[in-house]
């Protein structure tokens, strides 16, 4: 099969899918060196960073092997992603359990302590989350929104703990966006949390913050239990 230009607005995921398809179809057999970054950029009509990120992801799961100074070679045609995804769900569930605890308390405190400047910042970050176009961008935007609510509490211990946790949360959110069996809360539940914070309603803020995380956590619990059987 031949590579085709990626549609305008598509992301690293689209590049990754095409590269993986070339491996799985035998177009690039095991042991063959694949085209270089510049050639892939030309064929796919995407940026070099997008190509580089896709190659890095496929190298991480063992399909490709990057040899410094030589090129990138096909290492395997066996796709380990389904197994890795099942294993990853356990880690993601752990992260969401912690996020639930952080978010509920943070929303309650934010409702009591927010300023007009805080609300303007949260609104801007929520809009960025709602318009994110790929898993990585979405993970970053969602994590920044949740962290901003925590920063609105002005509790230094909670803020530092959340900042330490932010990288794991960002990765978990990106993984959920790619896992079609696991739902992620859409714009409306997040907007409801922000509206409650703006209204200064601490109890509603905490309740609605829990409602953002709990459906995803319930599905992760169910899938993890099924995979253990």
């Amino acid at each position: 099969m031949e590579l085709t230009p990626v549609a305008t607005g598509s992301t690293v995921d689209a590049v990754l899918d095409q590269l993986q398809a070339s491996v799985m179809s035998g177009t690039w057999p095991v042991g063959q060196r694949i085209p270089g970054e510049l050639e892939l950029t030309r064929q796919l009509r995407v940026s070099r960073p997008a190509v580089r990120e896709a190659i890095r992801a496929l190298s991480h799961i063992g399909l490709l092997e990057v040899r410094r100074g030589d090129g990138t070679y096909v290492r395997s045609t066996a796709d380990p992603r389904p197994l890795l995804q099942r294993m990853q769900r356990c880690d993601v569930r752990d992260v969401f359990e912690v996020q639930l605890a952080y978010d509920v308390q943070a929303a309650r405190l934010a409702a009591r302590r927010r300023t007009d400047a805080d609300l303007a910042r949260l609104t801007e970050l929520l809009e960025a989350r709602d318009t994110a176009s790929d898993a990585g961008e979405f993970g970053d935007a969602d994590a920044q929104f949740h962290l901003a609510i925590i920063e609105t509490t002005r509790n230094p211990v909670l803020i530092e703990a959340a900042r330490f946790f932010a990288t794991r949360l960002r990765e978990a959110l990106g993984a959920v966006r790619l896992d079609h069996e696991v739902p992620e809360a859409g714009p409306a539940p997040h907007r409801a949390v922000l509206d409650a914070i703006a209204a200064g309603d601490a109890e509603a803020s905490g309740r609605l913050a829990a409602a953002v995380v709990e459906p995803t956590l319930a599905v992760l619990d169910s899938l993890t239990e099924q995979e253990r059987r």
Side-chain angles (χ1 to χ4, degrees), residues 20 85 87 98 137 152 161 189 197 209 212-213 224:
Q20 184 187 19
Q85 186 179 68
M87 293 173 61
V98 175
E137 182 182 352
T152 301
I197 291 173
V212 168
V213 182
T224 301

Side-chain angles (χ1 to χ4, degrees), residues 94-104 142 146 150 165 169 173 190 209 212-213:
D94 293 340
V95 172
F96 271 75
E97 286 177 347
V98 175
Q99 185 195 358
L100 178 61
Y102 280 169
D103 283 3
V104 171
D142 195 289
H146 286 273
I150 292 171
F165 177 68
L169 175 59
L173 291 166
H190 286 80
V212 168
V213 182

Side-chain angles (χ1 to χ4, degrees), residues 7-213:
T8 301
S10 294
T11 63
V12 172
D13 297 331
V15 176
L16 189 152
D17 287 342
Q18 285 216 49
L19 299 188
Q20 184 187 19
S22 293
V23 172
M24 303 302 290
S25 68
T27 300
W28 299 336
V30 173
Q32 178 173 314
R33 183 170 64 183
I34 72 171
E37 284 185 9
L38 287 175
E39 178 59 21
L40 291 173
T41 296
R42 185 190 67 79
Q43 291 185 38
L44 295 168
R45 298 181 188 173
V46 295
S47 66
R48 287 188 71 177
V51 169
R52 192 174 298 121
E53 183 62 28
I55 289 175
R56 184 182 298 115
L58 292 176
S59 299
H60 180 70
I61 63 173
L63 264 66
L64 299 178
E65 178 184 2
V66 178
R67 302 177 187 173
R68 293 187 179 280
D70 188 6
T72 300
Y73 289 77
V74 177
R75 182 178 180 183
S76 172
T77 58
D79 184 4
R81 283 196 292 179
L83 176 60
L84 291 174
Q85 186 179 68
R86 289 195 295 272
M87 293 173 61
Q88 185 183 47
R89 283 173 180 161
C90 294
D91 294 335
V92 171
R93 182 189 60 177
D94 293 340
V95 172
F96 271 75
E97 286 177 347
V98 175
Q99 185 195 358
L100 178 61
Y102 280 169
D103 283 3
V104 171
Q105 180 64 3
R108 288 172 178 162
L109 293 175
R112 299 185 182 119
R113 301 172 182 173
R114 86 289 182 272
T115 65
D116 289 343
D118 292 326
L119 295 176
R121 181 183 178 217
L122 288 170
T123 299
E124 182 179 338
L125 290 173
L126 184 56
E127 290 173 353
R129 178 199 184 276
D130 294 345
T131 57
S133 61
D134 65 76
E137 182 182 352
F138 172 79
D140 287 342
D142 195 289
Q144 287 176 25
F145 175 73
H146 286 273
L147 180 58
I149 291 178
I150 292 171
E151 289 172 342
T152 301
T153 70
R154 293 172 175 78
N155 180 312
V157 176
L158 183 58
I159 292 169
E160 286 308 310
R163 285 174 177 167
F164 178 80
F165 177 68
T167 299
R168 293 302 305 276
L169 175 59
R170 188 178 299 111
E171 292 171 352
L173 291 166
V176 166
R177 192 69 181 270
L178 292 173
D179 191 339
H180 299 302
E181 290 187 73
V182 181
E184 54 89 8
H190 286 80
R191 173 61 61 181
V193 174
L194 179 53
D195 288 345
I197 291 173
D201 189 333
E203 290 308 309
S205 296
R207 184 177 65 255
L208 291 166
V212 168
V213 182

